[in-house]
Amino acid sequence: MINIAICGEMPFSAESMAGLITRCAQHLALPIPEPQFFATSFTLLEHLDNPAAEPLFDLIILQSAASGLSPIETARDARKLGYDGEIILIEDTEKHAFEAHRTHATGYLVDPIDTASLEAEISASIVRLETLDAESITMRMRGGVKRVPFSQLVFAQTSNHDQVLHMRDGSSMQLRCSSQDLFDRLSHDERFLKLGSSYIVNLDLVSSLNSNGEVLTFVDKSAASVPVRFRKAVQDALFARVEWRKHA
């Protein structure tokens, strides 16, 4: 489910905005997103900065100066807090368009706007997010809310009650949860295999398994040890995944 935050003095009522979002999803034959409304930029930014706050937003729509912050200022502060989802800005001038590009805003509208223009921007965002949702997951990391593409997540490793996500480009990210909690969020995708409480591995990014079945080597040259009790399961899962890819 896509979560949408709407912040500021919108040109349409909350009911109209919710109805517009519903129509976008229905026209695309997609699940209807749940919008959450914030009266001020500060309350939205507090939500983004709160490690326990739910939901994690995929799309933020910003309009008007709320509590002294313009939409572009709010977008900039949201990025500083680590938010990397989609942002649609509704400004009263075109002069912030370049800065909006620098904050990676995915939509920029100049007030006054009509429902057709806003609906087109929201629909485009929903389509992108639904495509991403099939191949990625949004999680609250140490450092902000991040979207993690499955194709880039090599393996996750438990370390001092954190899960350290090792990415294909050599970077890593940390989040505070158990290995089981993380796997519960990934297990819908069959490329991930859990090895006890230590590792969750991406079978698609395994480059080799040594002859004894005790060490997995990944495409980025990193490696993970395989406990004895999981060695047959790893071999079977790798074989099944290779066969699946042949016919996918």
Side-chain angles (χ1 to χ4, degrees):
M1 175 67 70
I2 293 172
N3 295 307
I4 299 176
I6 300 173
C7 180
E9 300 173 6
M10 289 291 138
F12 314 111
S13 67
E15 292 77 11
S16 296
M17 288 293 294
L20 187 151
I21 291 169
T22 297
R23 288 199 305 276
C24 290
Q26 289 175 336
H27 290 163
L28 298 167
L30 295 173
I32 297 173
E34 294 287 344
Q36 184 166 332
F37 294 86
F38 293 85
T40 70
S41 298
F42 292 146
T43 53
L44 171 64
L45 294 171
E46 286 174 355
H47 180 100
L48 295 178
D49 196 36
N50 182 351
E54 295 287 345
L56 305 181
F57 295 115
D58 305 289
L59 167 62
I60 296 175
I61 304 171
L62 298 169
Q63 158 74 351
S64 179
S67 297
L69 292 180
S70 69
I72 192 67
E73 289 171 328
T74 306
R76 192 184 304 123
D77 287 350
R79 295 303 192 203
K80 288 178 182 177
L81 291 173
Y83 174 75
D84 69 350
E86 301 232 338
I87 296 176
I88 295 174
L89 295 173
I90 303 173
E91 287 276 9
D92 57 5
T93 175
E94 295 180 356
K95 70 179 182 180
H96 298 301
F98 179 72
E99 182 63 20
H101 176 73
R102 292 180 61 185
T103 62
H104 304 290
T106 47
Y108 190 91
L109 297 171
V110 178
D111 210 18
I113 61 173
D114 54 42
T115 56
S117 299
L118 182 56
E119 186 169 341
E121 288 288 355
I122 293 173
S123 292
S125 288
I126 290 175
V127 168
R128 284 191 296 267
L129 290 167
E130 283 291 338
T131 302
L132 285 171
D133 275 352
E135 294 292 329
S136 64
I137 188 170
T138 299
M139 291 184 283
R140 189 182 296 278
M141 303 291 182
R142 292 186 180 275
V145 177
K146 306 291 184 184
R147 182 175 283 277
V148 181
F150 295 155
S151 63
Q152 301 303 308
L153 173 53
V154 181
F155 67 91
Q157 183 177 14
T158 303
S159 175
N160 296 325
H161 306 292
D162 277 4
Q163 300 305 311
V164 182
L165 277 56
H166 296 268
M167 309 304 291
R168 195 168 184 167
D169 63 2
S171 65
S172 63
M173 294 183 281
Q174 289 180 267
L175 70 157
R176 175 72 75 172
C177 71
S178 69
S179 177
Q180 187 59 52
D181 288 341
L182 176 58
F183 188 65
D184 286 344
R185 301 197 63 188
L186 297 171
S187 58
H188 67 283
D189 193 294
E190 294 183 357
R191 80 189 80 186
F192 293 106
L193 179 68
K194 189 173 186 295
L195 307 180
S197 60
S198 298
Y199 291 103
I200 298 170
V201 300
N202 186 336
L203 297 171
D204 285 357
L205 298 184
V206 173
S207 60
S208 66
L209 177 66
N210 73 349
S211 58
N212 295 324
E214 60 187 10
V215 177
L216 284 167
T217 303
F218 300 96
V219 294
D220 65 346
K221 309 303 182 185
S222 61
S225 59
V226 182
V228 173
R229 67 184 185 278
F230 292 112
R231 289 176 188 172
K232 185 178 186 307
V234 168
Q235 293 175 27
D236 291 346
L238 279 171
F239 178 77
R241 191 65 185 169
V242 168
E243 289 298 307
W244 178 86
R245 287 205 300 267
K246 286 180 181 177
H247 300 96

